Amino acid sequence: MNRPSRSEISRVLSHALRHAPEEYGLELDPEGWAPVEDVLQALRLMGPGWEGVDRTLLQEVVDKAAKKRHQIRGGRIRAVHGHSVSVVPDSETDEPPHELFHGTSRATVSAILESGILPMQRQSVHLAETVEQARQVGLRKDTAPVILSIDTGTAASGGTTFHRSASGVWLAAFIPPSALSVPAGTAE
């Protein structure tokens, strides 16, 4: 059997470290870290081909990923954002740029503009620094996503705090409707 591809390993890591550690026999600490050896053991139990996944390959998967979704440090590994399981942000609040962006489907824009952006099944709302980054995320939800602009000053004045993940994604618990707008030229 062939060894799994880096993208297959990354997908399994994301599922295990973001959403279902118990399905893999993993226990995450409060910040979402698990021992690398425990993760390797869980991966090797995935079936033929997976027994060849070692520390070197795991490090390569993390290092060569275009989107830095995972982090290895001090013999531990974690997903840096996107959790549906409860984790504590590992950093203090950060000062975001004046404007951040969120890509979403056309079908949800009205509800979002009325109620704000909620984390839904995740622990945090994910925000991008550029319209293009938000568009790439929005394309996962709609072939012609709507890009919302977030006035971070307005959100912060309403109590929203921002954290920047190790991958560069901005995170917040909630974005109030008062901080949202649809910039000209971003709705298709």
Side-chain angles (χ1 to χ4, degrees), residues 135-156:
R135 185 178 319 285
Q136 290 304 312
V137 171
L139 284 169
R140 294 184 213 148
K141 303 170 187 174
D142 193 319
T143 57
V146 175
I147 309 305
L148 300 172
S149 172
I150 294 92
D151 180 324
T152 60
T154 300

Side-chain angles (χ1 to χ4, degrees), residues 28-91:
L28 305 181
D29 75 8
E31 293 178 348
W33 293 96
V36 167
E37 283 306 317
D38 293 358
V39 172
L40 287 171
Q41 182 178 356
L43 292 176
R44 291 175 186 141
L45 295 174
M46 297 282 301
W50 288 85
E51 62 275 347
V53 178
D54 59 14
R55 275 182 179 272
T56 303
L57 180 56
L58 191 64
Q59 188 70 55
E60 182 181 306
V61 166
V62 171
D63 291 345
K64 293 189 177 183
K67 296 179 181 177
K68 301 298 182 191
R69 292 185 169 114
H70 307 101
Q71 186 177 38
I72 296 176
R73 185 171 60 208
R76 301 179 308 151
I77 185 170
R78 70 171 177 173
V80 296
H81 59 77
H83 298 86
S84 59
V85 297
S86 182
V87 296
V88 177
D90 71 332
S91 65

Side-chain angles (χ1 to χ4, degrees), residues 130-185:
T130 69
V131 169
E132 186 51 36
Q133 289 168 338
R135 185 178 319 285
Q136 290 304 312
V137 171
L139 284 169
R140 294 184 213 148
K141 303 170 187 174
D142 193 319
T143 57
V146 175
I147 309 305
L148 300 172
S149 172
I150 294 92
D151 180 324
T152 60
T154 300
S157 70
T160 299
T161 58
F162 295 89
H163 301 271
R164 190 165 192 221
S165 76
S167 69
V169 172
W170 284 91
L171 307 171
F174 168 72
I175 302 297
S178 60
L180 298 172
S181 64
V182 181

